[in-house]
Coordinates of all heavy atoms in Angstrom, one line a residue:
Y664 N -26.6 -9.9 -2.5 CA -25.8 -8.9 -3.2 C -25.7 -9.3 -4.7 O -25.7 -10.5 -5.0 CB -24.4 -8.9 -2.7 CG -24.3 -8.5 -1.1 CD1 -24.3 -9.6 -0.3 CD2 -24.3 -7.2 -0.7 CE1 -24.4 -9.3 1.2 CE2 -24.2 -6.9 0.7 CZ -24.3 -8.0 1.6 OH -24.2 -7.6 2.9
D665 N -25.7 -8.4 -5.6 CA -25.6 -8.6 -7.0 C -24.2 -8.5 -7.4 O -23.6 -7.3 -7.2 CB -26.5 -7.7 -7.8 CG -28.0 -8.0 -7.6 OD1 -28.2 -9.2 -7.3 OD2 -28.8 -7.0 -7.7
V666 N -23.5 -9.5 -8.1 CA -22.2 -9.4 -8.4 C -22.1 -9.6 -10.0 O -23.0 -10.3 -10.7 CB -21.3 -10.4 -7.7 CG1 -21.3 -10.2 -6.3 CG2 -21.8 -11.9 -8.0
D667 N -21.1 -9.0 -10.5 CA -20.7 -9.2 -12.0 C -19.5 -10.1 -12.2 O -18.4 -9.5 -11.9 CB -20.6 -7.8 -12.7 CG -20.6 -7.8 -14.2 OD1 -20.6 -9.1 -14.7 OD2 -20.5 -6.8 -14.7
V668 N -19.7 -11.2 -12.7 CA -18.5 -12.2 -12.8 C -18.2 -12.2 -14.2 O -18.9 -12.6 -15.2 CB -19.0 -13.7 -12.3 CG1 -17.8 -14.6 -12.5 CG2 -19.5 -13.6 -10.9
P669 N -16.8 -11.9 -14.5 CA -16.5 -11.8 -15.9 C -16.3 -13.1 -16.7 O -16.6 -13.1 -17.8 CB -14.9 -11.1 -15.8 CG -14.5 -11.6 -14.4 CD -15.7 -11.6 -13.5
Q670 N -16.1 -14.2 -16.0 CA -15.9 -15.5 -16.6 C -16.0 -16.5 -15.6 O -16.0 -16.4 -14.4 CB -14.6 -15.6 -17.3 CG -13.3 -15.5 -16.3 CD -12.0 -15.5 -17.1 OE1 -12.0 -15.3 -18.3 NE2 -11.0 -15.7 -16.3
S671 N -16.5 -17.8 -16.1 CA -16.8 -18.8 -15.1 C -15.5 -19.3 -14.5 O -14.4 -19.3 -15.2 CB -17.3 -20.0 -16.0 OG -18.6 -19.6 -16.6
G672 N -15.6 -19.7 -13.2 CA -14.3 -20.1 -12.6 C -14.5 -20.1 -11.1 O -15.6 -19.9 -10.5
T673 N -13.5 -20.4 -10.4 CA -13.4 -20.4 -9.0 C -12.8 -19.1 -8.4 O -11.8 -18.7 -8.8 CB -12.6 -21.7 -8.4 OG1 -13.2 -22.8 -9.0 CG2 -12.6 -21.8 -6.9
Y674 N -13.5 -18.5 -7.5 CA -13.1 -17.2 -6.9 C -12.8 -17.2 -5.4 O -13.5 -17.9 -4.8 CB -14.1 -16.2 -7.3 CG -14.2 -15.8 -8.8 CD1 -15.0 -16.7 -9.6 CD2 -13.5 -14.9 -9.3 CE1 -15.1 -16.4 -10.9 CE2 -13.5 -14.6 -10.7 CZ -14.4 -15.3 -11.5 OH -14.5 -15.1 -12.9
D675 N -11.9 -16.5 -5.0 CA -11.6 -16.3 -3.6 C -12.7 -15.4 -3.0 O -12.9 -14.3 -3.7 CB -10.2 -15.8 -3.4 CG -10.0 -15.6 -1.8 OD1 -9.6 -16.5 -1.1 OD2 -10.1 -14.5 -1.3
V676 N -13.2 -15.7 -1.9 CA -14.1 -14.7 -1.2 C -13.5 -14.3 0.2 O -13.2 -15.1 0.9 CB -15.4 -15.4 -0.9 CG1 -16.4 -14.3 -0.3 CG2 -16.1 -15.8 -2.3
E677 N -13.2 -13.1 0.4 CA -12.8 -12.5 1.6 C -14.0 -12.0 2.4 O -14.8 -11.2 1.8 CB -11.8 -11.4 1.4 CG -11.4 -10.7 2.8 CD -10.6 -9.4 2.5 OE1 -10.6 -8.9 1.4 OE2 -10.1 -8.9 3.4
L678 N -14.2 -12.3 3.5 CA -15.3 -11.8 4.4 C -14.6 -11.2 5.7 O -13.9 -11.8 6.4 CB -16.2 -13.0 4.9 CG -17.0 -13.6 3.7 CD1 -16.8 -15.1 3.8 CD2 -18.5 -13.3 3.8
R679 N -14.9 -9.9 5.8 CA -14.4 -9.2 6.9 C -15.3 -9.2 8.1 O -16.4 -8.6 8.0 CB -14.1 -7.8 6.6 CG -13.3 -6.9 7.5 CD -11.8 -7.4 7.5 NE -10.9 -6.5 8.1 CZ -9.7 -6.8 8.5 NH1 -9.0 -8.0 8.1 NH2 -8.9 -5.9 9.1
V680 N -15.0 -9.8 9.2 CA -15.9 -10.1 10.3 C -15.4 -9.7 11.7 O -14.1 -9.6 11.8 CB -16.3 -11.6 10.4 CG1 -17.1 -12.0 9.1 CG2 -15.0 -12.5 10.5
A681 N -16.2 -9.5 12.6 CA -15.8 -9.4 14.0 C -16.8 -10.1 14.8 O -17.9 -10.3 14.6 CB -15.9 -7.8 14.4
N682 N -16.2 -10.6 15.9 CA -17.0 -11.5 16.8 C -16.5 -11.2 18.4 O -15.5 -11.7 18.8 CB -16.8 -13.0 16.5 CG -17.3 -13.9 17.5 OD1 -18.1 -13.6 18.5 ND2 -17.2 -15.2 17.2
G683 N -17.4 -10.5 19.0 CA -17.0 -10.1 20.3 C -17.6 -11.0 21.4 O -17.6 -10.6 22.6
T684 N -18.1 -12.2 21.1 CA -18.7 -13.1 22.1 C -17.8 -13.7 22.9 O -18.1 -14.2 24.0 CB -19.6 -14.1 21.4 OG1 -18.8 -15.0 20.6 CG2 -20.6 -13.5 20.3
G685 N -16.5 -13.8 22.5 CA -15.5 -14.5 23.3 C -15.2 -16.0 22.9 O -14.3 -16.6 23.4
S686 N -16.0 -16.4 22.0 CA -15.9 -17.8 21.4 C -16.1 -17.8 19.9 O -16.9 -17.1 19.5 CB -16.7 -18.8 22.2 OG -18.1 -18.5 22.0
A687 N -15.5 -18.8 19.2 CA -15.7 -18.9 17.8 C -17.1 -19.3 17.5 O -17.8 -20.0 18.3 CB -14.6 -19.9 17.2
A688 N -17.5 -19.0 16.3 CA -18.8 -19.4 15.8 C -18.7 -20.3 14.6 O -18.5 -19.9 13.4 CB -19.7 -18.2 15.4
P689 N -18.7 -21.6 14.8 CA -18.5 -22.7 13.8 C -19.7 -22.5 12.8 O -20.9 -22.4 13.2 CB -18.4 -24.0 14.5 CG -19.1 -23.7 15.8 CD -18.8 -22.4 16.2
D690 N -19.4 -22.7 11.5 CA -20.4 -22.7 10.5 C -21.4 -21.5 10.6 O -22.5 -21.6 10.5 CB -21.1 -24.0 10.4 CG -20.2 -25.2 10.2 OD1 -19.2 -25.0 9.5 OD2 -20.6 -26.3 10.7
A691 N -20.8 -20.3 10.8 CA -21.5 -19.2 11.2 C -22.3 -18.7 10.0 O -23.4 -18.1 10.1 CB -20.6 -18.1 11.7
L692 N -21.8 -18.8 8.8 CA -22.6 -18.3 7.6 C -22.2 -19.2 6.5 O -21.1 -19.9 6.5 CB -22.2 -16.8 7.4 CG -20.7 -16.4 7.1 CD1 -20.4 -16.6 5.5 CD2 -20.4 -15.1 7.5
S693 N -23.1 -19.0 5.4 CA -22.8 -19.9 4.2 C -23.1 -18.8 3.1 O -23.9 -17.9 3.2 CB -23.7 -21.1 4.0 OG -25.1 -20.7 4.1
L694 N -22.5 -19.1 1.9 CA -22.7 -18.4 0.7 C -23.6 -19.3 -0.3 O -23.3 -20.4 -0.5 CB -21.3 -18.1 0.0 CG -20.4 -17.2 0.8 CD1 -19.0 -17.0 0.1 CD2 -21.0 -15.8 1.1
R695 N -24.7 -18.6 -0.7 CA -25.5 -19.4 -1.6 C -25.8 -18.7 -2.9 O -25.7 -17.6 -3.1 CB -26.9 -19.6 -0.8 CG -26.7 -20.3 0.5 CD -28.1 -20.6 1.2 NE -27.7 -21.2 2.5 CZ -28.7 -21.9 3.3 NH1 -29.9 -21.7 2.9 NH2 -28.4 -22.5 4.3
D696 N -26.2 -19.5 -3.9 CA -26.3 -19.0 -5.3 C -27.9 -18.7 -5.5 O -28.7 -18.7 -4.6 CB -25.9 -19.9 -6.4 CG -26.5 -21.2 -6.4 OD1 -27.6 -21.4 -5.8 OD2 -26.1 -22.2 -7.1
R697 N -28.2 -18.4 -6.8 CA -29.5 -17.9 -7.1 C -30.6 -19.0 -6.8 O -31.6 -18.8 -6.3 CB -29.6 -17.7 -8.6 CG -30.9 -17.1 -9.1 CD -31.0 -17.1 -10.6 NE -29.9 -16.5 -11.3 CZ -29.7 -15.2 -11.6 NH1 -30.6 -14.3 -11.3 NH2 -28.6 -14.8 -12.1
S698 N -30.2 -20.3 -6.9 CA -31.2 -21.4 -6.5 C -31.3 -21.7 -5.1 O -32.1 -22.5 -4.7 CB -30.7 -22.7 -7.3 OG -29.5 -23.1 -6.8
G699 N -30.4 -21.1 -4.3 CA -30.3 -21.4 -2.9 C -29.4 -22.5 -2.5 O -29.2 -22.8 -1.4
A700 N -28.7 -23.0 -3.5 CA -27.6 -24.1 -3.2 C -26.4 -23.5 -2.4 O -26.0 -22.3 -2.8 CB -27.2 -24.7 -4.6
T701 N -25.9 -24.2 -1.6 CA -24.7 -23.7 -0.7 C -23.5 -23.8 -1.5 O -23.1 -24.9 -2.0 CB -24.7 -24.5 0.5 OG1 -25.8 -24.2 1.4 CG2 -23.4 -24.0 1.4
L702 N -22.7 -22.7 -1.7 CA -21.5 -22.7 -2.4 C -20.2 -22.9 -1.4 O -19.3 -23.4 -1.8 CB -21.3 -21.3 -3.2 CG -22.4 -20.9 -4.1 CD1 -22.3 -19.5 -4.5 CD2 -22.4 -21.9 -5.3
A703 N -20.4 -22.4 -0.3 CA -19.3 -22.5 0.8 C -19.9 -22.2 2.1 O -20.9 -21.4 2.2 CB -18.2 -21.6 0.5

Side-chain angles (χ1 to χ4, degrees):
Y664 305 91
D665 291 334
V666 298
D667 188 359
V668 180
Q670 58 188 15
S671 300
T673 300
Y674 292 85
D675 178 84
V676 182
E677 176 194 10
L678 296 126
R679 193 73 172 168
V680 294
N682 174 3
T684 64
S686 58
D690 300 333
L692 61 88
S693 60
L694 299 173
R695 302 186 177 187
D696 65 12
R697 188 192 308 270
S698 69
T701 298
L702 302 172

